[in-house]
């Protein structure tokens, strides 16, 4: 996906994400292959040609982390960490003291 396409998709999905739809459950649903809601938002924007939509769908179906990455681009750091929760190992007490 080109950086221009990525930015357009991010802008389209920003509206959906503003409603708090990028919670942990939504992220896990995407990881489990449930991308239809998000693809519908992208398709209804009418910003992409049918071939580009097919390529995008293929990318997101084969690697859902790509969709998650686009969705979380530009989100604040805390929101991103909360959404990615299960992918990030917990900090140890030593690490917390070292950074705190």
């Amino acid at each position: 996906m080109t950086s221009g396409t990525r930015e357009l998709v991010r802008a389209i999905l920003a509206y959906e994400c503003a409603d708090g739809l990028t919670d942990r459950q939504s992220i896990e649903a995407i990881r489990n292959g449930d991308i239809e809601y998000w693809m519908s938002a992208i398709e209804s924007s009418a910003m992409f040609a049918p071939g580009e939509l097919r390529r995008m769908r293929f990318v997101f179906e084969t690697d859902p982390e790509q969709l998650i990455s686009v969705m979380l681009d530009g989100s604040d750091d805390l929101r991103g960490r909360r959404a990615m929760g299960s992918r990030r190992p917990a900090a140890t007490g030593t690490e917390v003291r070292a950074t705190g």
Side-chain angles (χ1 to χ4, degrees), residues 9-78:
V9 171
R10 186 182 64 74
I12 292 163
L13 297 181
Y15 176 78
E16 303 298 329
C17 295
D19 291 337
L21 292 174
T22 54
D23 61 9
R24 193 173 295 195
Q25 288 178 324
S26 297
I27 298 298
E28 286 306 312
I30 293 168
R31 286 187 176 131
N32 290 322
D34 186 6
I35 66 165
E36 201 53 45
Y37 176 83
W38 307 102
M39 280 305 303
S40 178
I42 295 166
E43 291 166 352
S44 67
S45 75
M47 298 291 292
F48 301 99
E52 183 66 20
L53 289 169
R54 282 191 299 275
R55 283 187 294 276
M56 209 177 299
R57 181 177 287 278
F58 176 78
V59 167
F60 294 154
E61 285 176 344
T62 58
D63 185 7
E65 293 297 325
Q66 291 290 323
L67 175 57
I68 293 166
S69 175
V70 170
M71 290 169 60
L72 295 179
D73 274 357
S75 67
D76 67 24
D77 190 42
L78 180 59

